[in-house]
Amino acid sequence: MWECPVVNAGRLPGVKPPRPEPTTNRTLSSRPRSLLPFRTRNLALRSAPRGLGAALFLTLLILSLPAAAGAVGTTKNVSYRGYTVRVPRAWPVYNLAAHPATCVRFNRHAVYLGRPAANQSCPVQSIGRTEAILIGSGPTADGSGLSGANVAQRTAHGVTAVATWNQRPGVIQRALGFPSLRSMRAAAPRTSTAVASARTPMVRSASASTSTPGQVYTGKGFDVCSTPSTSHMSSWSGSPYRAIGVYVGGTNRACSQPNLTSAWVSTESQAGWHVIPIYVGLQAPSNSCGCAAISSSSAGSEGTSAASSAVADAQAIGIGAGNPLYFDMEGYNRTSTNTNAVLAFLRGWTNQLHADGYLSGVYSSGASGIADLAAQWGTSYPEPDELWFADWNGAASTSDSYVPGGEWADHQRLHQYSGGVNQTYGGVTMNIDQDYLDAATAAEGSSATAASGPPTTTSPPTITGNAYVGQTLHEHHGGWFGSPTSYTYQWYRCTGSSSCTPISGATGQTHLVTSADEGDFIEVAETAANSMGPGSAASSSLTPAVQAAPTSSYYLYTAYGNVYNALGSPFYGSAVNAGVSTIVGMAATTDARGYWLADAAGRVFRYGDAASSPGVRPAHPIIGLAGAPGGGFYLFSAHGNVYNLAGARFFGSARSSHVSTITGMGVTLDGKGYWLIDSAGKIFSYGDAAKLSPVKSTYSFRGILAAPRGGAWAWTGHGNIDNVGGAPFYGSPYHEGYRNSTFRGLTPTKARDGYWMAESGGLVLPFGKAEGLPAIQPKHPIVGLTGG
């Protein structure tokens, strides 16, 4: 965890400038002391342990590398006890037996050979993951058992390779020899975050010096990337610190954790250390560390999943209910997309932890995550129980301008006041972040009050989904103390906030909205129970009034193959697991029961009942796809090449016109012709497509779309829409004051009595009789829009 240090340059008296946060988007560590990407041999120099000269360390490193048999071109072979992987030639290789102080961390490209040592020399600023491999002996190569979505494991010849990835999964797939990305994703390690003990966490009798579950500690603490050994902890017993933050899990945890076991937690709890369990999961959609990110469209459920994973990781090391778990949300820019996603994610995190009987804690930068949480104070938002704010002002206290005095005031604050410093006690040096606490901490076992009666609610359940006929609403657990073991539900149809009647048979965690609900509001009541019986029911907020199902709809898609179906358009699948990043077009089938996606190389991906197609090997890169009303579809290039597939008829192409700026294709409504348009507005007609005059604009044209009465709509990336050949005009984003260059698609309603236009951030604007539909927040920029 980290917070950028503040430079006092020209500060006015009494005015505190906002804390600057890094904005560079990196795959590797983004902490203040590691701003540059690791590249080639410079990595060895920058990561040299303190006390070793750079030249000496580099010499030792080179001597420790195994022979790279068969290294050719840009890759090399690395072998360990009969197990061989092929990796990029620039990746360094670390022999852990020869250099046990090497920090095994997965936020840099590297191959590690052996098992992580107990006392690694790790920089505290490490976070996030990229492509890296650890090869060791035994059933698990990493004593901590990596967790998260992008982790794979292979075992052969008594040797296990564990690998992580971020943007380039293909590198790991080839290195470990997986036949496909899908098989690699399925090969995640089976262990959880730590080597679990066989015993169940118990409530222990505490001596005067023993830490207890959920105990409030006031005083200094520190956090580290890799958990120190018990011997190092003993060496630090004379330090001013009595609390330690350790990373228990999460998909963006960078450092290995060979020491973090239930035995370690038990030993340090009895020694009087207060544990701060940290889970570093998905980060803001646009984050400062280049980390795996939250999906805006499923942020709430991802937060719920993170909490469940964190609970499993905590229980594996003996930290039971009644303890706090802290989510590490690194700094981010407070855009609406980031803020909304983070708050939805942390809502799910807090609610699920409460449901499992844990206290919810959140760590973040004062200027981003903390500011967003503080802004929700006093609303119905389920705030975390403990707040850990990063503000490197050097003040060892829990008072700070980012957190108003009356908020989290009941022994609920932690302050990270300094970071990335080396300190030595008992002859042991560690790189740490410094903290001051007045908050709940964790220890071995469970709180004695975790299940002393039926569950009591701390926050209401929530509903996600769209209140339209035909859509499914989902209930998400409210916050409960008392370790619930079961839940019951009842959905209600309401005409107002106090006039609700039960919906017959609606007693599950989901509810399919029917025409009987139209015009009413929906709420759900949840009742939690444990061994002591059921608690009192807790009711959600009301949904908006239920609306009729839309008569027509659309799909949005990204270059990575994400497909977002608006209401009324069924979802049949996406190409997000196909390892693509150049999807350029999408078209629905004529019966609306399937669709195709195509990439720049001419590959075609089919879903639903879309007819199979072998794709093409284009003379030039494909830039778009257009559906044919009679069935099938077309691919086209900027040079005017037209490829007819799956039964679509061919009427000609512009390849002999010596053009290279074709940007769009529109098929006539009868399917017997089509137009091509170039960036300057020149229109090429084929088949029965009407001859249309060129259109002119200050901006480049990006597409053309068939309109009623034989005309067409031509559009630009700035939101201009030109009606040509008698096409009706319903309006345009540019006409309504949207003056940006991020519009990526135009698609009509089924009746052609209106259209939608979409921009890269997911904003979709309706015109004419096109219905205004709920917003979609994409994981990647939108590159196109097509009718559903």
Side-chain angles (χ1 to χ4, degrees):
M1 297 184 293
W2 68 281
E3 170 72 356
C4 282
V6 177
V7 177
N8 188 352
R11 178 188 294 184
L12 296 176
V15 178
K16 178 180 288 187
R19 304 295 183 213
E21 296 190 45
T23 57
T24 304
N25 188 11
R26 294 179 299 279
T27 300
L28 307 181
S29 173
S30 64
R31 295 172 181 266
R33 297 176 182 263
S34 306
L35 293 179
L36 297 177
F38 294 98
R39 297 186 185 278
T40 63
R41 295 180 179 83
N42 288 339
L43 178 142
L45 299 177
R46 277 195 296 275
S47 59
R50 293 184 179 270
L52 279 178
L56 174 59
F57 179 72
L58 181 57
T59 300
L60 293 175
L61 176 64
I62 293 173
L63 290 176
S64 72
L65 303 186
V72 294
T74 59
T75 62
K76 62 185 177 185
N77 288 347
V78 177
S79 297
Y80 180 77
R81 298 187 180 181
Y83 194 109
T84 301
V85 296
R86 180 176 287 274
V87 298
R89 191 175 184 83
W91 284 23
V93 182
Y94 297 91
N95 187 319
L96 302 180
H99 300 289
T102 301
C103 181
V104 177
R105 51 192 173 105
F106 295 88
N107 64 334
R108 59 179 176 180
H109 297 305
V111 180
Y112 303 95
L113 304 179
R115 290 183 64 84
N119 296 314
Q120 306 173 48
S121 180
C122 287
V124 68
Q125 64 268 21
S126 300
I127 193 170
R129 289 184 185 162
T130 188
E131 294 74 43
I133 302 173
L134 168 63
I135 308 174
S137 59
T140 57
D142 179 2
S144 65
L146 282 170
S147 63
N150 294 350
V151 181
Q153 177 177 299
R154 290 207 100 170
T155 301
H157 310 297
V159 176
T160 297
V162 176
T164 61
W165 67 89
N166 190 339
Q167 299 296 328
R168 301 176 63 195
V171 171
I172 299 302
Q173 178 193 344
R174 291 188 293 272
L176 300 188
F178 284 99
S180 66
L181 289 174
R182 177 172 295 181
S183 64
M184 182 174 73
R185 292 179 186 277
R190 296 181 181 274
T191 55
S192 73
T193 296
V195 178
S197 68
R199 65 188 180 198
T200 302
M202 301 284 290
V203 178
R204 301 170 56 254
S205 298
S207 66
S209 60
T210 299
S211 299
T212 57
Q215 181 180 358
V216 171
Y217 164 70
T218 303
K220 287 187 175 183
F222 68 95
D223 50 278
V224 287
C225 189
S226 185
T227 304
S229 65
T230 53
S231 63
H232 276 197
M233 292 296 292
S234 178
S235 296
W236 272 49
S237 61
S239 74
Y241 307 107
R242 300 309 297 162
I244 176 173
V246 295
Y247 287 91
V248 299
T251 194
N252 281 308
R253 193 192 73 188
C255 289
S256 61
Q257 296 286 16
N259 298 320
L260 189 54
T261 64
S262 56
W264 185 95
V265 173
S266 176
T267 298
E268 303 312 331
S269 295
Q270 293 181 53
W273 283 96
H274 301 267
V275 180
I276 315 170
I278 307 165
Y279 185 89
V280 55
L282 297 173
Q283 299 296 302
S286 297
N287 56 71
S288 62
C289 59
C291 298
I294 298 167
S295 169
S296 297
S297 60
S298 55
S301 60
E302 288 177 342
T304 300
S305 297
S308 297
S309 175
V311 166
D313 292 339
Q315 291 178 347
I317 57 174
I319 297 176
N323 282 296
L325 299 178
Y326 290 85
F327 190 92
D328 176 356
M329 184 65 69
E330 293 292 319
Y332 56 87
N333 291 327
R334 293 181 69 197
T335 64
S336 59
T337 298
N338 276 343
T339 292
N340 291 339
V342 167
L343 289 176
F345 182 94
L346 294 178
R347 177 196 299 272
W349 166 264
T350 295
N351 285 342
Q352 187 60 46
L353 285 185
H354 286 171
D356 291 332
Y358 285 78
L359 296 173
S360 167
V362 172
Y363 163 93
S364 194
S365 162
S368 55
I370 302 304
D372 279 336
L373 288 171
Q376 298 299 311
W377 187 269
T379 71
S380 60
Y381 182 82
E383 296 281 16
D385 305 291
E386 318 294 326
L387 198 70
W388 188 356
F389 51 92
D391 183 3
W392 290 4
N393 58 12
S397 74
T398 56
S399 296
D400 194 81
S401 61
Y402 287 119
V403 187
E407 301 176 9
W408 291 277
D410 187 17
H411 306 289
Q412 297 170 280
R413 297 187 181 192
L414 306 85
H415 177 197
Q416 187 184 87
Y417 62 88
S418 177
V421 299
N422 285 334
Q423 292 202 336
T424 303
Y425 294 97
V428 172
T429 299
M430 286 191 276
N431 188 249
I432 65 170
D433 290 336
Q434 296 175 289
D435 307 292
Y436 191 84
L437 296 79
D438 181 23
T441 56
E444 177 193 25
S446 301
S447 169
T449 60
S452 59
T456 56
T457 183
T458 60
S459 60
T462 57
I463 298 174
T464 58
N466 294 300
Y468 281 75
V469 173
Q471 298 295 302
T472 298
L473 301 177
H474 298 262
E475 188 268 0
H476 299 277
H477 294 321
W480 297 89
F481 279 122
S483 300
T485 56
S486 63
Y487 301 89
T488 56
Y489 315 93
Q490 177 63 61
W491 294 82
Y492 291 85
R493 188 179 295 128
C494 307
T495 56
S497 59
S498 60
S499 179
C500 299
T501 56
I503 301 174
S504 177
T507 56
Q509 200 169 3
T510 62
H511 172 59
L512 177 63
V513 181
T514 68
S515 57
D517 301 323
E518 188 174 344
D520 291 331
F521 307 91
I522 303 296
E523 77 169 15
V524 64
E526 174 185 74
T527 303
N530 61 17
S531 60
M532 307 296 289
S536 299
S539 296
S540 70
S541 298
L542 300 177
T543 67
V546 173
Q547 300 182 46
T551 57
S552 61
S553 192
Y554 52 78
Y555 296 96
L556 299 168
Y557 57 94
T558 77
Y560 293 89
N562 308 85
V563 173
Y564 301 94
N565 54 317
L567 300 184
S569 295
F571 178 76
Y572 299 109
S574 73
V576 293
N577 294 322
V580 297
S581 60
T582 59
I583 295 294
V584 294
M586 179 180 183
T589 58
T590 53
D591 64 4
R593 295 179 180 176
Y595 43 74
W596 298 275
L597 292 169
D599 70 5
R603 291 186 296 173
V604 176
F605 305 86
R606 56 180 289 268
Y607 303 92
D609 71 352
S612 61
S613 172
V616 297
R617 294 185 177 180
H620 303 284
I622 297 300
I623 64 166
L625 182 155
F633 60 95
Y634 300 95
L635 302 179
F636 59 95
S637 77
H639 291 262
N641 308 83
V642 174
Y643 303 91
N644 54 313
L645 299 166
R649 298 174 59 187
F650 180 74
F651 300 106
S653 74
R655 64 180 181 179
S656 61
S657 300
H658 305 292
V659 295
S660 60
T661 58
I662 295 296
T663 56
M665 181 177 186
V667 185
T668 59
L669 299 184
D670 62 7
K672 297 179 181 179
Y674 43 73
W675 297 279
L676 296 172
I677 189 171
D678 70 9
S679 59
K682 184 177 180 180
I683 300 173
F684 303 82
S685 302
Y686 304 92
D688 71 353
K691 303 296 181 182
L692 300 177
S693 300
V695 286
K696 295 183 179 181
S697 174
T698 304
Y699 307 107
S700 297
F701 285 91
R702 293 182 59 95
I704 188 168
L705 179 69
R709 299 191 294 274
W713 294 295
W715 58 276
T716 77
H718 281 75
N720 310 84
I721 298 176
D722 286 275
N723 53 321
V724 292
F729 180 70
Y730 301 116
S732 72
Y734 192 87
H735 180 75
E736 294 191 1
Y738 291 87
R739 304 296 166 87
N740 57 51
S741 59
T742 61
F743 286 95
R744 296 292 179 262
L746 180 74
T747 197
T749 60
K750 290 180 179 178
R752 287 311 203 267
D753 55 3
Y755 41 68
W756 292 277
M757 199 166 200
E759 57 91 47
S760 60
L763 174 68
V764 179
L765 301 175
F767 298 93
K769 293 187 179 181
E771 297 174 85
L773 300 178
I776 295 173
Q777 295 182 320
K779 184 174 183 179
H780 301 289
I782 296 299
V783 297
L785 169 74
T786 191

